[in-house]
Amino acid sequence: MKIVKVNNYEELSAVAADLIAKQIKAKPASVIGLATGSTPIGTYKNLVEMHKRGDLNFIKVKTFNLDEYCGLARDDAQSYYYFMMDNLFKHINIPKVNIHFPAEKDSDWYDKEIAQAGGIDLQLLGIGSNGHIGFNEPEDVFHKFTRVVDLAPSTIKANARFFKKMEDVPKTAISMGIGTIMAAKKIVLIAGADKAELVKELTKPVISPQLPASILHFHPDATIITVTSR
Ligand code: PGA
């Protein structure tokens, strides 16, 4: 697990975008796993700027998002599909057919789609304040495949900031499994200043499904970019 310490959110966003751009330049038909939440917004802004400057071409890129709420239509402003359109996809030249989101279909459908695309070359991750990656919440076991998950009360509370009423916040989502994430060739996890203590916890040599991101200790090419006051 490689830890890259940066001073602020701008640096975090620039470093993450550079790693994604490097991947796409090295392999124009890269398969990229993408994340939602507040943290990746700056990374996506940087990627859009690189594209607008003519420095980055997404025409052959395929994307697979980590997760999606159950029960929200794609055009719902709170759906992760809408978020991705708004923050990245509508500003770049990725063909719509190359964009993938998990959905409530057969249990192994999404994992098969990813495998058919050749597997994920680079997976971008955020981290929940309870240590979740995707929507793999703290539990007694690590789940391997993409599936419907019950969101933890702390996640529902954290997500509530985007909804008008608490009742509107989805209680379930469909998420890539820990095995789906770990199969990515490269992983880049971005953690803002609010997650600095959590990253410290993560760097301890303990791997537990109660801290789902700790599984990244077993990944051969995982980078954590963390904002710290040095
Ligand atoms: P955040 O969410 O980037 O909004 O903090 C991260 C996550 O829950 O994965």
Side-chain angles (χ1 to χ4, degrees):
M1 192 191 264
K2 184 176 163 200
I3 308 283
V4 176
K5 293 181 181 176
V6 295
N7 290 309
N8 53 47
Y9 182 70
E10 287 66 36
E11 251 185 74
L12 171 97
S13 305
V15 172
D18 282 348
L19 287 174
I20 296 170
K22 197 172 153 205
Q23 170 64 43
I24 295 172
K25 285 177 183 174
K27 182 182 171 190
S30 283
V31 179
I32 309 286
L34 295 173
T36 50
S38 317
T39 315
I41 292 174
T43 305
Y44 296 149
K45 272 204 182 105
N46 278 279
L47 290 175
V48 169
E49 277 164 24
M50 288 177 199
H51 173 68
K52 293 207 162 137
R53 281 201 308 267
D55 286 345
L56 197 56
N57 189 353
F58 291 85
I59 197 77
K60 291 185 180 163
V61 170
K62 286 187 181 157
T63 63
F64 286 86
N65 262 80
L66 269 176
D67 43 24
E68 179 58 285
Y69 288 126
C70 293
L72 294 191
R74 283 190 155 185
D75 61 357
D76 189 306
Q78 300 309 333
S79 78
Y80 287 159
Y81 182 87
Y82 191 99
F83 172 99
M84 289 305 305
M85 278 293 158
D86 213 31
N87 286 289
L88 182 65
F89 297 145
K90 75 177 182 197
H91 308 289
I92 60 174
N93 65 335
I94 186 166
K96 254 193 170 171
V97 291
N98 287 3
I99 296 168
H100 302 83
F101 276 78
E104 289 172 82
K105 293 194 192 177
D106 305 340
S107 56
D108 58 353
W109 161 78
Y110 203 55
D111 293 83
K112 276 188 185 153
E113 282 284 293
I114 292 171
Q116 268 164 25
I120 293 172
D121 293 300
L122 184 153
Q123 175 68 54
L124 180 67
L125 296 177
I127 182 167
S129 47
N130 62 2
H132 72 203
I133 47 176
F135 274 136
N136 295 284
E137 304 285 30
E139 271 193 71
D140 293 338
V141 292
F142 290 113
H143 289 269
K144 191 165 182 187
F145 297 118
T146 305
R147 75 218 178 279
V148 173
V149 295
D150 290 325
L151 299 178
S154 63
T155 300
I156 297 170
K157 208 167 146 207
N159 294 345
R161 67 191 196 275
F162 300 109
F163 292 82
K164 282 202 192 86
K165 300 196 298 283
M166 197 64 190
E167 306 88 85
D168 296 342
V169 188
K171 312 289 181 295
T172 54
I174 176 150
S175 175
M176 280 188 195
I178 290 288
T180 321
I181 293 170
M182 287 296 282
K185 293 171 191 102
K186 241 183 222 310
I187 293 180
V188 176
L189 184 148
I190 47 177
D194 56 326
K195 309 278 170 54
E197 283 308 308
L198 188 59
V199 171
K200 266 190 208 155
E201 206 49 44
L202 200 57
T203 50
K204 292 182 183 164
V206 175
I207 293 140
S208 162
Q210 293 295 341
L211 184 62
S214 64
I215 192 78
L216 298 180
H217 280 285
F218 282 140
H219 196 280
D221 191 353
T223 301
I224 296 180
I225 311 170
T226 173
V227 176
T228 53
S229 39
R230 280 185 259 204

